Amino acid sequence: MTSSAFQSLILPYRQKLYCFAYRLLGNEEDAKDVVQDAFIRVWNNREKMPELQSLEAWCMRITRNLALDRLKSRKYRATDDLDRAGELPAAHHTPLQHAEKSDVMRRVHGAIARLPEKFRTVLQLRDMDGLSYQEIADTLEIGLPEVKINLHRARKQVREQLQNLQVYGIQ
Amino acid sequence: MEYNDIRTLLGKYWACESTEEEEEALRVFYAGHEGALPADLQEAAPLFRYFHDCSDVPDMPELFTDRPAPWDEPVTIVRPIWQNWMKYAAAVLVAGGLLYSADSFRDKQADELAFRDTYSDPKLAYEQTQRALQLLSKNLNRGKTQMEKIGYFSEATEKVQGKN
């Protein structure tokens, strides 16, 4: 594959890959590094590209693996980036409402972060990145039934935690 | 959107039977709704508001500012030797031309040496030339005398053989 073909076929995915990496890592600098490394890896394996069914899924898969490697190598903790939820926009809210909202957002973030990795990734790909079930299956190299099962379990666990929030009157 | 529609969509969402469009409709509803919600709809509100807020990802930074992108590096194309035959033919032609030029230069120098004067004094040169010619003439005469003798001998031989 030529440089120009690579740039026209692969580089348009950069925004999507960056969002994906950013949501996994919660850090702009790390997300940028991971996307760069993903592009380098894709370029070094460009001979495989004609055999692939979905270039986008392949790029997403590489980005995901690199992001997970980075999470492991830096010994990130799921709760390390809870503070990020507190930085959400506070327009049209009083300080009290903003504090309440931030607290709720942090708890939702924590509920998702506490999910097992395979559940969390499926939930993120579907509900935040807006991928179809087939795209998720291609990205994670799993079957459609497994995607649906993992997503169902992820939503169920999050729902239970949200119900607990309501029970304790946090909302 | 009516609350009942939202309830229907939420039921499909929890059962993983909703489409992407229906999930987007839920995100839009919860993000835009102000004020109190029925108790059964409040359960999912934080989640969809969180999903909506998560769509605010920082702007994409410029990539490869600290190192060159690998696809921008010049790619060296290695071609088989026979594809570069013109290069080698040109090299052979240049080498042949140089040899021919060197050979021509040497011949020209040799020709110039033959016409070069060996004496600076014309009188001396004349005397030497005269002496050389006399020596040549003397030797030619000596050769001629010997040839005459051979001629006599040849005539005598023919007479003896009775050819005449």
Side-chain angles (χ1 to χ4, degrees):
Chain A
M1 167 172 280
T2 63
S3 172
S4 58
F6 179 85
Q7 290 183 53
S8 61
L9 287 173
I10 301 296
L11 290 192
Y13 297 135
R14 62 181 180 272
Q15 182 67 37
K16 199 165 190 175
L17 298 181
Y18 177 72
C19 292
F20 182 46
Y22 178 78
R23 289 190 186 117
L24 280 172
L25 297 162
N27 176 299
E28 292 174 45
E29 198 59 35
D30 285 347
K32 179 191 167 184
D33 286 347
V34 161
V35 173
Q36 282 192 172
D37 291 345
F39 277 143
I40 290 169
R41 190 169 289 189
V42 170
W43 171 255
N44 290 339
N45 290 287
R46 59 192 180 279
E47 304 82 28
K48 294 179 186 170
M49 287 169 71
E51 305 159 16
L52 297 167
Q53 288 188 334
S54 169
L55 289 177
E56 184 181 346
W58 185 48
C59 293
M60 294 281 275
R61 197 157 57 238
I62 289 173
T63 305
R64 171 179 171 266
N65 291 339
L66 288 170
L68 292 180
D69 287 348
R70 185 164 289 235
L71 282 171
K72 283 176 196 163
S73 68
R74 293 194 177 179
K75 298 189 185 306
Y76 272 61
R77 291 290 176 266
T79 51
D80 279 354
D81 48 359
L82 284 180
D83 292 341
R84 189 171 62 87
E87 296 163 6
L88 297 166
H92 312 300
H93 290 286
T94 65
L96 178 63
Q97 285 173 322
H98 170 55
E100 284 175 347
K101 186 185 176 190
S102 296
D103 189 48
V104 171
M105 291 294 106
R106 266 197 293 273
R107 286 169 187 273
V108 174
H109 185 79
I112 293 172
R114 277 190 293 276
L115 290 173
E117 192 273 320
K118 62 180 182 178
F119 293 173
R120 188 171 66 246
T121 307
V122 171
L123 186 80
Q124 182 196 321
L125 288 171
R126 177 68 185 186
D127 288 332
M128 298 185 212
D129 296 320
L131 267 61
S132 67
Y133 290 144
Q134 187 58 56
E135 287 172 325
I136 296 170
D138 292 341
T139 300
L140 301 180
E141 289 184 301
I142 56 177
L144 271 177
E146 197 177 345
V147 171
K148 289 181 182 173
I149 289 168
N150 288 346
L151 184 64
H152 188 262
R153 288 177 181 165
R155 285 176 176 173
K156 190 180 172 193
Q157 287 190 22
V158 171
R159 188 181 189 188
E160 285 168 0
Q161 295 194 49
L162 292 175
Q163 285 169 341
N164 288 338
L165 287 178
Q166 278 199 316
V167 168
Y168 291 109
I170 293 167
Q171 189 173 340
Chain B
M1 192 178 277
E2 295 292 328
Y3 289 154
N4 281 338
D5 296 334
I6 298 299
R7 284 187 186 96
T8 307
L9 291 183
L10 272 178
K12 292 172 80 175
Y13 174 80
W14 295 123
C16 293
E17 291 167 355
S18 51
T19 64
E20 288 162 69
E21 291 75 24
E22 288 167 340
E23 290 168 17
E24 178 61 23
L26 284 171
R27 280 193 287 272
V28 169
F29 169 77
Y30 279 110
H33 190 273
E34 293 286 340
L37 280 168
D40 58 329
L41 296 185
Q42 277 187 11
E43 170 192 84
L47 183 64
F48 282 100
R49 284 178 189 147
Y50 176 79
F51 290 154
H52 182 263
D53 289 345
C54 277
S55 61
D56 294 333
V57 173
D59 289 339
M60 174 85 196
E62 195 179 344
L63 297 177
F64 294 101
T65 51
D66 53 343
R67 52 187 151 157
W71 49 87
D72 288 339
E73 289 174 6
V75 179
T76 308
I77 300 168
V78 181
R79 290 198 175 92
I81 196 166
W82 56 86
Q83 286 192 12
N84 292 326
W85 65 274
M86 284 188 78
K87 193 163 67 181
Y88 297 103
V92 169
L93 276 175
V94 169
L98 285 173
L99 282 174
Y100 178 75
S101 303
D103 199 41
S104 301
F105 180 72
R106 207 166 41 228
D107 288 349
K108 197 176 171 188
Q109 263 196 331
D111 290 347
E112 281 176 359
L113 278 175
F115 291 106
R116 191 179 294 170
D117 289 337
T118 48
Y119 290 94
S120 54
D121 184 0
K123 191 179 175 185
L124 183 62
Y126 175 73
E127 286 173 2
Q128 289 296 329
T129 307
Q130 205 171 29
R131 190 183 298 166
L133 289 172
Q134 280 174 355
L135 186 65
L136 181 65
S137 169
K138 187 179 170 184
N139 284 326
L140 279 172
N141 286 334
R142 190 183 297 164
K144 190 181 169 188
T145 309
Q146 296 299 326
M147 288 298 290
E148 279 173 357
K149 285 179 185 172
I150 291 170
Y152 294 148
F153 179 75
S154 180
E155 268 179 39
T157 308
E158 284 174 357
K159 276 180 185 173
V160 170
Q161 289 176 345
K163 283 189 179 175
N164 288 337

